[in-house]
Amino acid sequence: MTSPEKTSPDPTSPKATTWKATLTETTPPENVRRVACVGAGVIGGGWVAHFLARGYDVTAWDPAPDAAQKLRRLVDTAWPALTSLGLAEGASPDRLNVTETLEQAVADAEFVQESAPEKLDLKRDLLTRLDAATPPGVVIASSTSGYPMTDMQTTAADPSRLVVGHPFNPPYLIPLVEVVGGEHTDPTAVAWAARFYEAAGKSVITMNNEVPGFIANRLQEALWREALHMVANGEATVRDIDLSITEGPGLRWAVMGPMLTFALAGGEGGMAHMLDHFGPSLKSPWTRLEAPELDRELYDAVVAGCDEAADGRSIADLVAERDKGVIDVLRATGRLGREGEAR
Ligand SMILES: NC(=O)C1=CN([C@@H]2O[C@H](COP(=O)(O)OP(=O)(O)OC[C@H]3O[C@@H](n4cnc5c(N)ncnc54)[C@H](O)[C@@H]3O)[C@@H](O)[C@H]2O)C=CC1
Ligand SMILES: C[N+](C)(C)CC(=O)CC(=O)[O-]
């Protein structure tokens, strides 16, 4: 990702402190009842389903002509899984209002989640528009997978209330949200967002430093790049790559992260022994990390490999299978109560 020319607002301008100035008028995160979701594709729609299941009133806007229909279908598809997890009191898909305009969606919102396509100019323009239309003192979060907020908040009149709230697909099942502000974000807005997501049932990592891709996507990207190299070089098939994780480290990663998992590789000696023993292999050529050229051949090989792996299952079948699997893992690892409440 290249960093664009910055036209950052003057941090000493009174506008840059608008959010702070209206803090006392801001709804405490635990009392928020009305959430707006702007952009309602895979992730925006997933956020809508999550917030509805948690009992919020949700307004949504998306410029696509068939967006309302698709969104309601996504919510209906997710609802059985959400019901099995346990709905908040009063939660209902009927509490969704798909509006005609962006301005209507955010007019009464107490929190705004932006989930538009991952294009820097588009995000910048949209956040500027959202900032202009959203009541003062309301935090606006972007679902961006990797742009630093500093690069997205360059043209907003009040950049101090803009934060990144990076979710994982599907946001109605995967608990993690990475929260981080930009150079011109008020740290109180970051703290407010973190508290809000926690109140909304998410697991939050708050980052104090901006790095493109945040934490989890940097880790995922390293694995993804190596997987593409292996497919491109004919070293492994798409199926081999998937099996190597689902039948291998993926099982452990659902229980503990890569750090603790590797500490156990050192036996009684823990991570210290693991480093003494396997440290030298860091110098072995086990990974390339530079991204391979995503040329037509590699593109086709990856797409065809996934079609073959799906073995006739539609995307809807795979989504249902994934959702059931994630719920089973959450349950089996004690991260869900008997009624499905997240711990
Ligand atoms: N797909 C994924 O696995 C994840 C995506 N994200 C991030 O979420 C964001 C959305 O990605 P997806 O939902 O995957 O994309 P998507 O393509 O499924 O949905 C994007 C939606 O935005 C709408 N849209 C287009 N222009 C717009 C505008 N100017 N204002 C508002 N909405 C607009 C489109 O009509 C579409 O419904 C991106 O920033 C992406 O990086 C974050 C985590 C995971
Ligand atoms: C593929 N992706 C980069 C958009 C993925 C994410 O951002 C997070 C996720 O759901 O894995």
Side-chain angles (χ1 to χ4, degrees):
M1 189 189 318
T2 50
S3 248
E5 188 99 333
K6 284 181 192 155
T7 48
S8 302
D10 174 3
T12 59
S13 119
K15 280 180 177 164
T17 57
T18 306
W19 196 86
K20 218 188 274 178
T22 55
L23 183 56
T24 48
E25 298 156 30
T26 302
T27 310
E30 295 76 13
N31 295 355
V32 167
R33 298 302 349 130
R34 296 184 304 279
V35 171
C37 293
V38 171
V42 173
I43 290 303
W47 272 123
V48 167
H50 176 76
F51 289 129
L52 287 170
R54 288 280 158 172
Y56 292 90
D57 289 314
V58 181
T59 47
W61 178 78
D62 187 296
D66 55 349
Q69 203 187 357
K70 275 191 178 162
L71 174 56
R72 291 192 194 281
R73 203 177 324 133
L74 187 153
V75 171
D76 287 346
T77 306
W79 207 255
L82 290 165
T83 305
S84 88
L85 280 175
L87 300 171
E89 206 183 320
S92 163
D94 297 341
R95 290 172 68 178
L96 168 63
N97 175 19
V98 184
T99 64
E100 293 290 320
T101 67
L102 169 150
E103 287 72 19
Q104 289 165 347
V106 301
D108 289 323
E110 295 167 301
F111 174 74
V112 178
Q113 183 79 40
E114 170 276 309
S115 308
E118 191 79 349
K119 293 185 185 145
L120 187 55
D121 285 345
L122 186 153
K123 293 272 195 204
R124 216 182 251 158
D125 293 348
L126 181 58
L127 289 172
T128 302
R129 219 177 131 196
L130 283 173
D131 172 48
T134 303
V138 169
V139 172
I140 302 168
S142 173
S143 295
T144 180
S145 291
Y147 295 133
M149 180 47 81
T150 298
D151 293 346
M152 296 193 290
Q153 66 188 172
T154 52
T155 51
D158 178 9
S160 66
R161 55 160 151 180
L162 302 181
V163 303
V164 167
H166 176 233
F168 290 78
N169 191 36
Y172 56 84
L173 289 184
I174 306 290
L176 184 62
V177 184
E178 293 168 317
V179 179
V180 59
E183 234 173 79
H184 296 287
T185 305
D186 186 328
T188 4
V190 175
W192 188 99
R195 265 178 60 198
F196 166 72
Y197 285 125
E198 270 162 14
K202 307 298 287 185
S203 295
V204 177
I205 296 178
T206 301
M207 296 176 69
N208 295 322
N209 297 301
E210 273 191 303
V211 279
F214 321 116
I215 299 173
N217 271 354
R218 291 180 79 90
L219 297 174
Q220 290 203 107
E221 188 72 8
L223 193 142
W224 177 231
R225 285 185 183 186
E226 194 56 34
L228 289 182
H229 276 301
M230 297 196 86
V231 172
N233 294 341
E235 295 160 352
T237 63
V238 165
R239 193 183 289 266
D240 293 336
I241 300 278
D242 276 351
L243 266 183
S244 79
I245 296 300
T246 57
E247 294 297 304
L251 285 170
R252 301 188 302 224
W253 287 340
V255 183
M256 58 184 70
M259 292 290 183
L260 268 189
T261 295
F262 269 5
L264 300 188
E268 292 291 321
M271 181 55 96
H273 180 59
M274 140 75 192
L275 291 175
D276 294 341
H277 189 174
F278 299 105
S281 38
L282 282 174
K283 302 266 187 226
S284 304
W286 281 11
T287 176
R288 283 155 277 222
L289 278 187
E290 284 292 318
E293 194 56 41
L294 189 55
D295 57 18
R296 190 77 236 174
E297 200 184 340
L298 176 55
Y299 184 99
D300 288 346
V302 172
V303 172
C306 286
D307 285 347
E308 199 189 313
D311 200 18
R313 289 167 297 177
S314 67
I315 293 288
D317 293 337
L318 292 168
V319 165
E321 217 172 285
R322 178 203 59 195
D323 287 5
K324 184 183 174 308
V326 173
I327 290 173
D328 287 348
V329 169
L330 288 171
R331 225 172 234 138
T333 52
R335 277 174 277 176
L336 283 180
R338 216 174 286 140
E339 300 80 29
E341 265 304 294
R343 292 228 162 100

